[in-house]
Amino acid sequence: MSAKVRVPVREQDPKVRATNFDEVCLGYNIEEAVEEAQRCLGCKKPRCVEGCPVSVDIPGFIQKVKEKDIEGAAKAIAKNSSLPAVCGRVCPQETQCEGVCIVGIKNEPVSIGKLERFVADWSRENNVNLSETEPKKDAKVAVIGSGPAGLACAGDLAKKGYTVKIFEAMHEPGGVLTYGIPEFRLPKSGVVQPEIENIKKLGVELETNVIVGRTITIEQLQDEGYNAIFIGSGAGLPSFMGIPGENANGVFSANEYLTRVNLMKAYKADYDTPIRSGKRVVTVGGGNVAMDSARTALRLGSESYIVYRRSEKELPARIEEVHHAKEEGVVFHTLTNPKEILVDETGNVRGMVLVKMELGEPDDSGRRRPIEIKGSEFEIEADTVIMSLGTSPNPLISSTTKGLEVNKRKCIVADESGHTTIDGVYAGGDIVTGAATVISAMGAGRKAAASIDEYLKENVLNKN
């Protein structure tokens, strides 16, 4: 019989962590990991694997943990995931693998994410070699973007023996892992960079400061002899509400705010990166990015508030992130929506006009639609506003590539396997779906890699 309650994971004290950018969750040690692994039933038809977008052999790796064969566990995960230390930290396991865990029907589900994190961290600390590849194949692939989709695609293709090169627009690789998710959730030097190094050890070449659509085009990459191309450039174009005062000094998109802090290290005194973090910061939105923004503002010394138009039950952020934000002191104004940003005579934010909301019938997303309560407007003070309302793809690549079809949201049109409307060109992740999760982008990258493998075998390798 497995224990009913999962082994608790150690965390920094909320009052302490609210003042620093060190990782909140401290993870399992080997004794805790083995104890938690014992709760897994090793199902013959594991629903957890079906719930994982990259199909990790979850019972297989957990069995290795039970046996204290952590290197074996790392190798079992590596067959399907190129970023286990990342996924163990930021995946919404509660709605995926853990959400369908058999143990979770009557008791708490197995802590799959924390076990994956433990294995990945152990393998990094113990220099486990995860760079086995098939013999070299005479074909090369260009991958655009070094975020989760691009890294997953590049890793799988390199394992199959292809020559792969990633082109990244930023000066640091990692995409949203580097510029979007804060240090206290996903350390850059300790977690993200080593995972990228593991992919480079497979033979993947990575070039930064290359803006496809400006520095080089898709057609030029084809002319340079790339037999297939994967576009995984994400969705980095922020959305705004279109309300009065949005152009005031002190209004940020969450993208800009988090990029300044995460990629450009604005939270460090020895980095000369300008960042505005006033006395009172209001973040508009309820997703993980909103939680990241609000918790970052808190750590920069501000009073931090979340304004969200639906109820707490409808918050799209992970339960764990909402719980951590509340523990740390972020104040939530739910069923509330901004109507205007108030601006002082110098053009700076001085406050907001908010209105109370109530929930009506469900909309297209399945969530109940928020409706404004007339006459319920009220003002609050604020000197910084962060808009976290989702993002859409930058149209640079699609507008400079003939024959590449996009939909009305400017997302590239691709089928389930990643095929676009151009032969040999594939796409996946946020550039296709709009803003989504790290793991769903990785799943799309893996599917595209499998399709590219088939395409190259049929159209390139068999003709050489």
Side-chain angles (χ1 to χ4, degrees):
M1 285 290 290
S2 63
K4 292 182 178 182
V5 180
R6 60 171 60 181
V7 176
V9 68
R10 290 164 291 116
E11 296 178 344
Q12 274 199 77
D13 179 85
K15 289 180 181 177
V16 175
R17 71 180 191 241
T19 64
N20 67 52
F21 278 80
D22 297 335
E23 192 169 10
V24 168
C25 179
L26 304 176
Y28 285 148
N29 59 34
I30 191 162
E31 291 78 18
E32 292 164 337
V34 171
E35 184 183 347
E36 179 60 24
Q38 301 294 344
R39 300 180 65 241
C40 177
L41 301 177
C43 303
K44 289 183 179 177
K45 291 185 178 179
R47 300 197 307 184
C48 54
V49 177
E50 295 173 16
C52 173
V54 296
S55 303
V56 167
D57 177 10
I58 294 167
F61 98 75
I62 291 180
Q63 180 59 38
K64 294 290 186 185
V65 176
K66 289 180 186 179
E67 298 165 3
K68 295 189 178 181
D69 178 9
I70 313 305
E71 182 171 340
K75 289 181 176 177
I77 295 172
K79 290 176 183 175
N80 297 82
S81 177
S82 301
L83 302 167
V86 169
C87 294
R89 286 166 165 83
V90 303
C91 273
Q93 289 100 2
E94 65 275 10
T95 59
Q96 294 176 345
C97 55
E98 294 176 14
V100 292
C101 173
I102 293 290
V103 176
I105 294 174
K106 291 186 177 180
N107 303 304
E108 286 190 297
V110 176
S111 190
I112 298 167
K114 297 295 187 289
L115 289 173
E116 181 182 29
R117 169 193 163 148
F118 164 74
V119 171
D121 289 355
W122 187 96
S123 68
R124 179 183 67 248
E125 290 159 10
N126 289 275
N127 299 311
V128 175
N129 182 10
L130 302 172
S131 57
E132 289 181 21
T133 62
E134 293 177 20
K136 268 290 178 191
K137 294 182 173 74
D138 189 19
K140 64 178 190 173
V141 182
V143 172
I144 301 166
S146 66
L151 291 172
C153 183
D156 275 17
L157 289 169
K159 288 173 189 174
K160 291 180 183 296
Y162 294 106
T163 297
V164 184
K165 184 171 182 178
I166 300 175
F167 296 91
E168 167 58 44
M170 296 283 200
H171 64 281
E172 292 283 349
V176 69
L177 307 176
T178 297
Y179 67 74
I181 303 174
E183 285 278 340
F184 55 81
R185 275 218 294 145
L186 188 63
K188 308 309 165 208
S189 61
V191 174
V192 176
Q193 289 172 15
E195 299 254 277
I196 293 171
E197 285 303 313
N198 279 342
I199 290 170
K200 289 166 74 174
K201 286 174 186 174
L202 295 167
V204 174
E205 190 180 347
L206 202 157
E207 186 177 350
T208 56
N209 298 311
V210 179
I211 303 173
V212 176
R214 184 152 297 161
T215 313
I216 195 168
T217 64
I218 297 286
E219 288 85 352
Q220 286 171 327
L221 288 170
Q222 290 170 322
D223 290 343
E224 288 186 8
Y226 286 96
N227 305 107
I229 296 169
F230 174 74
I231 305 170
S233 50
L237 202 62
S239 301
F240 289 89
M241 293 185 71
I243 59 175
E246 241 177 354
N247 292 325
N249 298 324
V251 179
F252 290 87
S253 70
N255 262 35
E256 180 187 355
Y257 190 78
L258 291 172
T259 297
R260 285 175 184 247
V261 176
N262 300 331
L263 179 69
M264 301 168 72
K265 313 293 185 191
Y267 68 96
K268 289 188 173 182
D270 54 339
Y271 276 74
D272 192 19
T273 303
I275 186 75
R276 179 189 179 117
S277 196
K279 183 182 176 185
R280 181 177 279 206
V281 177
V282 176
T283 301
V284 181
N288 288 325
V289 177
M291 299 305 135
D292 287 345
S293 301
R295 294 172 70 196
T296 295
L298 192 80
R299 283 160 169 77
L300 291 174
S302 308
E303 292 177 25
S304 187
Y305 297 80
I306 289 271
V307 168
Y308 179 60
R309 62 184 184 153
R310 289 184 167 94
S311 73
E312 185 171 330
K313 185 181 176 184
E314 281 81 24
L315 281 166
R318 292 183 67 190
I319 294 169
E320 183 178 64
E321 300 310 317
V322 176
H323 171 67
H324 281 159
K326 285 185 169 182
E327 275 191 328
E328 291 162 8
V330 175
V331 178
F332 284 69
H333 288 294
T334 54
L335 286 170
T336 308
N337 210 35
K339 291 203 77 172
E340 181 182 353
I341 295 169
L342 301 172
V343 186
D344 67 18
E345 62 280 0
T346 62
N348 292 299
V349 173
R350 67 172 181 84
M352 299 179 81
V353 177
L354 304 176
V355 64
K356 291 286 186 183
M357 311 292 282
E358 60 185 355
L359 296 179
E361 294 301 309
D363 61 14
D364 294 339
S365 72
R367 293 182 297 171
R368 292 172 65 193
R369 188 167 62 88
I371 300 165
E372 190 176 299
I373 300 174
K374 290 184 179 177
S376 65
E377 291 88 349
F378 64 101
E379 290 186 14
I380 63 168
E381 288 182 20
D383 49 16
T384 304
V385 175
I386 303 169
M387 291 293 182
S388 182
L389 307 168
T391 53
S392 57
N394 188 314
L396 184 61
I397 291 176
S398 58
S399 65
T400 56
T401 309
K402 291 177 184 176
L404 190 63
E405 187 181 338
V406 296
N407 61 24
K408 62 183 179 182
R409 296 186 299 143
K410 302 296 183 186
C411 295
I412 293 173
V413 174
D415 66 17
E416 280 194 6
S417 299
H419 297 96
T420 70
T421 48
I422 302 176
D423 189 48
V425 177
Y426 297 74
D430 292 4
I431 190 75
V432 171
T433 60
T437 62
V438 166
I439 191 66
S440 63
M442 286 178 62
R446 293 205 71 213
K447 284 182 181 176
S451 295
I452 290 169
D453 180 38
E454 289 178 19
Y455 171 82
L456 293 175
K457 284 175 179 173
E458 188 176 323
N459 295 282
V460 178
L461 301 178
N462 290 342
K463 294 184 178 181
N464 286 350

